């Protein structure tokens, strides 16, 4: 058995692989080196056959220069709704260019506040393509990146703008006593200070019955007076800002009795 090793300039040794010698004394081995250094082949020896080592010479291991593209199905969408993304990763080294298979791609949403959360990942196919579905909850730009992938240089796609509505949800007790009050709870995502309103349906129109401002956590509880006996349909609306457009919550039914 012949073992192939590579020794880096710092003295670190990595085993590249091993193989059995053919009956005619020859051997062949395909390896995947990940660092530059001096390559050597060695035979450990056996009774009557002394150990032997030979140096094959220096090997320079470079990295693929990568390039990423990204496209989004939607440029405007409801916050939190699915948005299909597609793209490609190509590579080049030493005059050889082509698709980059099996490469991990990370997709970031660069928000208007400067935050850059990862909102999805994908791995390229044999053709160097990738696809994934993301659900951004605020305005920003989508960027696909190849980052810290062994054998590849880092790279980033051109930014793709996406504009969303503001996601808002409302909740209230199912029942309320006539003449009393109840709390209508509002939640805004992405969490932030926002102007919100509570609206009631009169059978033909939505009418604003209260207004408030959420906390930095995107929350507020609005006290409402319970009217006469009956069922009331309510909803919350939010005024859009740089992080998202106007938004409307789910309908909430409160029965006053």
């Amino acid at each position: 058995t012949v073992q192939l090793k590579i020794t880096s300039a710092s003295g670190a040794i990595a085993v590249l692989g091993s193989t059995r010698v053919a009956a005619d004394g020859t051997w062949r081995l395909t390896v995947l080196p990940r660092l530059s250094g001096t390559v050597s082949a060695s035979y450990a020896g056996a009774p009557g056959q002394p150990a032997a080592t030979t140096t094959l010479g220096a090997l320079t291991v470079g990295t693929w220069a990568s390039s990423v593209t990204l496209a989004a199905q939607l440029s405007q969408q409801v916050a939190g709704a699915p948005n299909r993304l597609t793209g490609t990763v190509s590579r080049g080294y030493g005059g050889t260019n082509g698709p980059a298979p099996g490469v991990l791609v990370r997709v970031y949403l660069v928000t208007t506040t400067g935050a850059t959360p990862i909102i999805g990942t994908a791995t390229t196919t044999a053709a160097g393509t990738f696809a994934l579905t993301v659900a951004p909850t605020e305005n920003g730009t989508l960027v696909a990146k190849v980052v810290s992938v062994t054998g590849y240089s880092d790279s980033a796609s051109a930014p793709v703008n996406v504009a969303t509505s503001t996601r808002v949800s409302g909740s209230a007790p199912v029942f309320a006593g006539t003449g009393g009050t109840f709390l209508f709870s509002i939640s805004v995502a992405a969490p932030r200070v926002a102007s919100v309103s509570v609206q009631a349906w009169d059978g033909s129109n939505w009418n604003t019955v209260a207004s408030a401002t959420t906390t930095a956590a995107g929350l507020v509880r609005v006290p409402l007076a319970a009217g006469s006996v009956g069922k009331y349909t309510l909803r919350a609306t939010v005024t859009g800002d740089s992080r998202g457009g106007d938004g409307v919550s789910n309908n909430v039914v409160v029965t006053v009795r």
Side-chain angles (χ1 to χ4, degrees), residues 106-111 113-120 138 141-143:
R106 297 177 173 89
V107 177
Y108 299 79
L109 176 67
V110 183
T111 72
T113 66
T116 55
I118 295 177
I119 62 171
E138 60 180 300
T141 55
L142 299 167
V143 179

Side-chain angles (χ1 to χ4, degrees), residues 63-67 90-100 151-153:
T63 57
W64 289 102
S66 64
S67 177
S90 57
R91 66 186 185 182
Y93 178 77
T96 299
N97 300 278
Y152 286 83
S153 64

Side-chain angles (χ1 to χ4, degrees), residues 6 25 41 43 59 73 80 85 92 97-98 102 105 116 120 142 146 151-152 154 161 180 187 222-223 243-244 251:
I6 187 167
Y43 166 63
L59 175 66
Q73 182 180 24
L85 308 183
N97 300 278
V105 179
T116 55
L142 299 167
V146 173
Y152 286 83
D154 292 352
N161 294 327
S187 174
V222 183
R243 298 183 67 181
N251 290 347

